[in-house]
Amino acid sequence: MDVVRQKITELRGSIVIKNTIGQGVSFQIKLPLSRSIIEGLLVKVAQTHYIIPLNLVEQINRLPYESLNRDNHLNKTILVNEELLPVFSLSRQFHQDRIPPKTADVITILANGRKKGLVVDRTEGKIQAVLKPLGEAYRQQDFIAGSSILGDGSLAFVLDPDRLFQLESI
């Protein structure tokens, strides 16, 4: 029990142990939210990094951007592995004033029990991210679950895909 208490204290948390004779023992552990660690997929759109929770990712497909873009409008549904997939483009939603890349990655995600696609410029790899709470400026952005500071000091937004897909009712 001393080892557990020491580890919780190192994380700036606390543990309260209550022992009631004849009723048992209860443990109350408090950890700061800023110490949540998630496994994520680090992606990039324009110059912005995003992290997608890895437990939601089904597969990643790289496609020519032209196959996603028809008449300067990104398709809302595409064919991936012989399956129609509704897609949401981070680029179209948040980075409209830029030159599109030659290829894009479509990340198949299981959201609300359905497969959906998230279109990003580039997948950079798997990451363990320490989740930091957002400031007041991002309180209304409920599709951003938090942020993380990357090894180079830049910021990455941790996405909540379920809420993100609700922006376009996909």
Side-chain angles (χ1 to χ4, degrees):
M1 204 56 209
D2 287 338
V3 174
V4 173
R5 183 185 303 256
Q6 179 183 353
K7 289 295 180 188
I8 291 172
T9 303
E10 285 175 13
L11 293 172
R12 296 187 190 146
S14 64
I15 183 169
V16 176
I17 303 170
K18 292 182 182 176
N19 186 4
T20 307
I21 298 174
Q23 293 183 351
V25 179
S26 69
F27 299 90
Q28 182 181 23
I29 300 173
K30 292 183 182 178
L31 293 173
L33 177 63
S34 64
R35 294 300 178 201
S36 299
I37 298 175
I38 65 164
E39 290 279 327
L41 183 66
L42 182 64
V43 299
K44 193 170 187 179
V45 178
Q47 298 302 314
T48 306
H49 285 97
Y50 297 95
I51 298 172
I52 301 165
L54 200 56
N55 63 326
L56 302 176
V57 175
E58 296 278 319
Q59 65 183 1
I60 303 167
N61 294 293
R62 180 159 291 158
L63 301 172
Y65 192 79
E66 292 139 10
S67 69
L68 301 170
N69 192 10
R70 187 176 297 151
D71 299 324
N72 291 325
H73 295 293
L74 199 68
N75 299 333
K76 290 192 176 189
T77 304
I78 61 170
L79 190 64
V80 176
N81 296 332
E82 300 181 14
E83 182 178 9
L84 278 177
L85 190 67
V87 294
F88 180 89
S89 170
L90 287 173
S91 177
R92 182 180 63 206
Q93 188 72 29
F94 305 118
H95 304 278
Q96 296 174 359
D97 300 330
R98 66 180 191 89
I99 298 170
K102 291 182 180 181
T103 61
D105 289 345
V106 178
I107 302 166
T108 303
I109 295 173
L110 190 61
N112 294 323
R114 292 183 50 215
K115 286 185 179 181
K116 298 176 182 180
L118 192 59
V119 179
V120 300
D121 291 353
R122 186 174 67 226
T123 302
E124 296 199 343
K126 189 173 125 178
I127 186 173
Q128 281 190 336
V130 177
L131 187 65
K132 299 280 187 187
L134 294 171
E136 288 298 318
Y138 293 97
R139 290 277 183 234
Q140 301 301 321
Q141 310 297 333
D142 63 348
F143 55 88
I144 299 176
S147 63
S148 184
I149 299 173
L150 302 177
D152 65 358
S154 63
L155 184 70
F157 293 109
V158 180
L159 297 175
D160 181 345
D162 290 333
R163 303 250 183 192
L164 189 62
F165 288 120
Q166 289 174 5
L167 286 178
E168 287 193 5
S169 301
I170 294 179

